[in-house]
Amino acid sequence: MALYDHDGASPYRLRNWFVPSSSRTTGTPAESEWFGVFVGIRDYLEAADLDYCGKDAYDIYREFRSLGMPAENARLLIDERATKADIEEAIKWLARVAGPEDRVIVF
């Protein structure tokens, strides 16, 4: 999976900047953790459907999990599980669990 910077011209791999705390080689306790909320809404009532949003959210979630993000540090919200209330609760959860040194992704 390749991610691109803001201009789309410089590809870089997720693995280049995602270093889970469990795999750091400094020998010191982890100072930060990764947390993520991954949202994909495909079906809209009053707008055209976006066919790949759910798949994209799942793929990004799965990539972060494969790189070591613990399941308890991630929330995956797709279609009917991505209501306004669900998304608001996930953001509140991030505010409760993520500390000042932690890294957060909202997709």
Side-chain angles (χ1 to χ4, degrees):
M1 164 180 286
L3 295 180
Y4 300 88
D5 68 4
H6 67 281
D7 64 6
S10 303
Y12 56 94
R13 296 267 173 217
L14 199 62
R15 294 181 195 283
N16 290 344
W17 56 268
F18 179 81
V19 181
S21 56
S22 61
S23 67
R24 294 194 181 120
T25 58
T26 61
T28 60
E31 295 179 4
S32 66
E33 290 188 70
W34 278 89
F35 293 91
V37 172
F38 306 89
V39 180
I41 302 171
R42 181 178 68 88
D43 297 318
Y44 286 89
L45 296 175
E46 298 180 17
D49 289 349
L50 301 172
D51 292 333
Y52 301 102
C53 288
K55 181 186 179 312
D56 290 347
Y58 177 75
D59 288 347
I60 295 290
Y61 164 83
R62 190 177 63 199
E63 182 72 11
F64 272 89
R65 293 280 295 116
S66 76
L67 293 170
M69 179 183 281
E72 63 269 12
N73 288 14
R75 299 291 183 269
L76 177 62
L77 307 173
I78 295 178
D79 288 333
E80 60 275 348
R81 294 202 55 225
T83 65
K84 179 182 176 189
D86 293 329
I87 295 167
E88 287 174 345
E89 180 53 39
I91 299 300
K92 290 175 187 175
W93 167 78
L94 278 176
R96 285 192 310 270
V97 299
E101 299 299 322
D102 292 331
R103 290 167 272 177
V104 171
I105 180 168
V106 177
F107 176 90

